Amino acid sequence: MTSPTGKRVLLAAPRGYCAGVDRAVIAVEKALEHYGAPVYVRKEIVHNKYVVESLSDKGAVFVNETDEVPEGARVVFSAHGVSPAVHEAAAERNLQTIDATCPLVTKVHKEAVRFAADDYDILLIGHEGHEEVEGTAGEAPDHVQIVNSPDDAVNVTVRDPEKVVWISQTTLSVDETMETVDRLRERFPTLQNPPSDDICYATQNRQVAVKKLAPECELVIVVGSANSSNSVRLVEVALNAGADASYRIDRAQEMDESWLDGVTTVGVTSGASVPEILVNDVLAYLAERGYGDVQEVRTATEDLMFSLPKELRADLKAAGNAPARPRRENRTSLSVEPV
Ligand code: SF4
């Protein structure tokens, strides 16, 4: 319903859970149901505090490295992927692994392996220290250099400027990545592109939706955790696209009343690892403050789903449990009007 004050929310769509996150979270839930607690998980299964806390409550035990997992126990690898060295370390301890690496991250790993086999210098655009980047770089440590930002392009040195390829982390800003590529190409004109987009469909779609609504918003709220790369990027995208202000919050309790001073239109979106319940809490908070008119700004429809990790599928099948299809999480419980 339109507010007499003109106050409204523009709700980005797509937002929230992507196919890779949905699959990884369900993998841990199914593993807990099927094998019983504890199920160990190396690193945060996805970068979201609420999800990690919820799974911990159900019996998941999050560890930093495989040497914290008891010999022979079951461990799930997170959606961000792991390097071959992690697989080897797990095998040495006879761990039973369930690999929940997102298939779109695995695709980038395979690119790194293939270009390394052809002896390319591989420029991996991504954030040093991010788990996904560590995993991808670990596929070909002798061939990969990490390029953190456009400014970092000047620091790159290669063996043969004619044999250089770039690949990237899946959750980067599309615009900033292309700026980095342009800078690299100034230095290496024959720089080869990856065979297909490495920045995944979910990251791109969420950025496109925010770009569309941000120019109309005095404030854009991004629900997502601080270590979620794609969530942090959404704040940057919102500001670059014209929002007067943008804040990332983990949950509605972190909203600050003063952010709403003089604000008529609030944009709301969420990162790819964020369950919709957290967005609904923010919408409820806003509705209580006069922003009950929620209009959806949809720029794409997503129907991609990935099947569960093969190790888990096989065990569920052997036990006569039909493997569950990952569910779609990006629904809202509030009625919204498309614009
Ligand atoms: S953000 Fe993209 S790459 Fe990461 S888990 Fe989701 S679909 Fe996979």
Side-chain angles (χ1 to χ4, degrees):
M1 199 176 61
T2 308
S3 157
T5 61
K7 287 183 177 175
R8 61 177 182 157
V9 171
L10 296 183
L11 181 60
R15 64 181 175 280
Y17 267 20
C18 61
V21 163
D22 213 16
R23 168 184 188 257
V25 173
I26 294 175
V28 177
E29 289 173 348
K30 286 281 161 198
L32 284 164
E33 274 170 41
H34 184 69
Y35 307 111
V39 166
Y40 293 85
V41 182
R42 181 185 177 277
K43 308 282 186 191
E44 293 191 347
I45 184 73
V46 298
H47 284 156
N48 185 266
K49 249 192 212 172
Y50 174 92
V51 171
V52 169
E53 285 166 13
S54 306
L55 291 173
S56 297
D57 290 346
K58 292 179 186 169
V61 177
F62 290 88
V63 296
N64 268 321
E65 284 308 335
T66 48
D67 59 11
E68 296 165 53
V69 181
E71 186 96 23
R74 185 163 275 106
V75 64
V76 181
F77 291 147
S78 80
H80 309 102
V82 295
S83 67
V86 174
H87 281 287
E88 283 157 26
E92 272 168 26
R93 297 178 59 74
N94 297 314
L95 302 184
Q96 302 175 66
T97 57
I98 296 172
D99 188 354
T101 303
C102 176
L104 300 181
V105 174
T106 302
K107 181 196 78 125
V108 183
H109 281 221
K110 286 183 178 161
E111 289 170 4
V113 170
R114 205 186 92 203
F115 285 113
D118 288 342
D119 205 24
Y120 275 78
D121 274 54
I122 302 168
L123 308 182
L124 170 56
I125 302 174
H127 299 128
E128 189 130 36
H130 188 283
E131 285 146 53
E132 182 190 320
V133 171
E134 284 175 357
T136 305
E139 291 285 0
D142 297 337
H143 289 79
V144 169
Q145 285 179 68
I146 298 165
V147 185
N148 272 291
S149 66
D151 290 343
D152 207 16
V154 291
N155 301 320
V156 172
T157 54
V158 299
R159 294 166 301 159
D160 177 358
E162 300 294 319
K163 208 165 179 188
V164 190
V165 63
W166 71 274
I167 60 175
S168 85
Q169 189 178 336
T170 56
T171 51
L172 299 180
S173 150
V174 174
D175 295 339
E176 187 180 292
T177 302
M178 292 325 295
E179 194 186 330
T180 307
V181 171
D182 288 346
R183 300 255 199 114
L184 289 169
R185 193 157 276 131
E186 280 166 18
R187 299 196 52 214
F188 313 115
T190 59
L191 176 70
Q192 198 168 314
N193 292 324
S196 59
D197 285 355
D198 288 341
I199 299 180
C200 76
Y201 80 98
T203 299
Q204 297 198 33
N205 285 347
R206 280 148 193 71
Q207 290 176 15
V208 169
V210 163
K211 268 189 190 173
K212 178 146 188 215
L213 61 78
E216 294 185 56
C217 299
E218 293 98 340
L219 170 69
V220 172
I221 298 297
V222 177
V223 186
S225 288
N227 59 348
S228 161
S229 169
N230 79 89
S231 302
V232 174
R233 301 290 84 74
L234 287 173
V235 172
E236 297 165 0
V237 170
L239 292 171
N240 287 335
D244 296 341
S246 181
Y247 300 102
R248 181 204 53 75
I249 54 171
D250 258 298
R251 50 186 73 193
Q253 290 87 330
E254 293 173 16
M255 285 288 296
D256 185 329
E257 295 270 353
S258 69
W259 295 345
L260 297 172
D261 287 349
V263 168
T264 304
T265 303
V266 184
V268 174
T269 188
S270 55
S273 47
V274 177
E276 190 63 7
I277 186 173
L278 300 179
V279 174
N280 286 336
D281 287 349
V282 172
L283 295 179
Y285 173 99
L286 291 169
E288 281 167 18
R289 287 153 183 83
Y291 300 85
D293 170 18
V294 181
Q295 302 169 13
E296 185 176 80
V297 177
R298 177 170 292 282
T299 50
T301 300
E302 296 177 345
D303 53 14
L304 184 66
M305 288 195 293
F306 296 128
S307 52
L308 290 172
K310 62 179 188 308
E311 309 86 350
L312 183 58
R313 258 192 349 249
D315 284 355
L316 291 174
K317 196 169 169 202
N321 296 330
R325 296 285 301 179
R327 66 187 166 234
R328 298 291 311 279
E329 269 282 354
N330 52 347
R331 289 180 296 267
T332 178
S333 63
L334 301 182
S335 67
V336 294
E337 302 163 17
V339 290

